[in-house]
Amino acid sequence: VPEYIMNPGVEVFSGHFSGCPLFIISAGPSLDKNVQYLKEIGDQGIILCVDSALKTLLDNDIYPDLVVSIDFGTHNIKYFDNIPSESLVLVFDPEVHPEIPKRFRGRKFGMNLPGKALCDWITSYIGDKGSISKGLSVSHSTFSLALEMKADPIIFVGQDLSYPRGAWHSKGSGIFQKAGFSHEIK
């Protein structure tokens, strides 16, 4: 909460990227085969990535413009372990695990999640830092932020809707896992 209060909010991004291509990078398994193409973006668009995709991008010398982190789980801290964050920009909400904004050394921007008790309470005291819908995942929040920024077009990379070969995260994400499927009916 102190990091959220001390840093500016995402309202500064609102509507300022009209007509600018924006790439949302998620950590789905397809990121592994498509990450090489992201190097070609250069200054032709904005790259927003979810926290779990950050290591994959950095391992490929791709530096996102914004990294979005919203989850409170302890396992999310590892997405930022050994990351040189001084030149990166973090977008986070008050519900994120407190160690993430505390350890992050780059610029930070808070976002309000309307309808969440903690966010509504803080907003009642300090004002709205920019309301972004949380949705069901960090990818949803990143998309909501892109819409608020008025970016156009919005391109998704690594936002997989299936689990090819049983994998549900990219290998570089730090949480690469494979699912075991059984054809046995019980």
Side-chain angles (χ1 to χ4, degrees):
V1 173
E3 289 284 343
Y4 180 78
I5 292 170
M6 293 185 317
N7 286 288
V10 296
E11 79 278 355
V12 300
F13 302 127
S14 184
H16 291 291
F17 296 90
S18 180
C20 184
L22 185 143
F23 296 80
I24 295 176
I25 314 302
S26 299
S30 67
L31 179 58
D32 292 331
K33 69 178 182 177
N34 294 313
V35 70
Q36 64 188 349
Y37 301 111
L38 295 174
K39 291 180 181 182
E40 298 172 17
I41 295 172
D43 293 334
Q44 298 176 47
I46 300 166
I47 297 177
L48 272 63
C49 83
V50 303
D51 49 8
S52 55
L54 180 58
K55 284 187 180 187
T56 300
L57 293 182
L58 294 178
D59 286 348
N60 286 276
D61 293 322
I62 299 166
Y63 295 85
D65 296 293
L66 298 173
V67 180
V68 180
S69 187
I70 62 169
D71 295 317
F72 58 86
T74 305
H75 71 277
N76 293 308
I77 299 169
K78 71 179 170 189
Y79 301 145
F80 298 94
D81 284 346
N82 303 312
I83 295 293
S85 60
E86 294 81 10
S87 64
L88 299 173
V89 180
L90 176 69
V91 173
F92 69 102
D93 66 32
E95 293 184 337
V96 74
H97 193 286
E99 286 297 314
I100 292 172
K102 184 177 174 184
R103 293 181 187 182
F104 195 86
R105 296 291 168 234
R107 294 195 63 199
K108 296 172 250 194
F109 292 86
M111 67 178 177
N112 176 39
L113 304 173
K116 296 291 203 169
L118 177 61
C119 296
D120 290 345
W121 178 76
I122 293 170
T123 298
S124 72
Y125 285 97
I126 67 167
D128 192 358
K129 288 189 172 265
S131 294
I132 303 295
S133 174
K134 186 169 188 171
L136 299 175
S137 73
V138 67
S139 294
H140 291 152
S141 295
T142 305
F143 177 58
S144 294
L145 178 59
L147 289 174
E148 184 64 29
M149 294 167 75
K150 303 289 187 225
D152 181 32
I154 298 172
I155 301 104
F156 293 89
V157 178
Q159 180 61 45
D160 300 344
L161 301 175
S162 68
Y163 303 122
R165 294 172 301 287
W168 60 83
H169 279 91
S170 71
K171 290 180 181 173
S173 70
I175 56 168
F176 176 74
Q177 300 171 20
K178 289 193 87 147
F181 295 101
S182 171
H183 296 287
E184 190 175 310
I185 299 174
K186 294 187 180 192

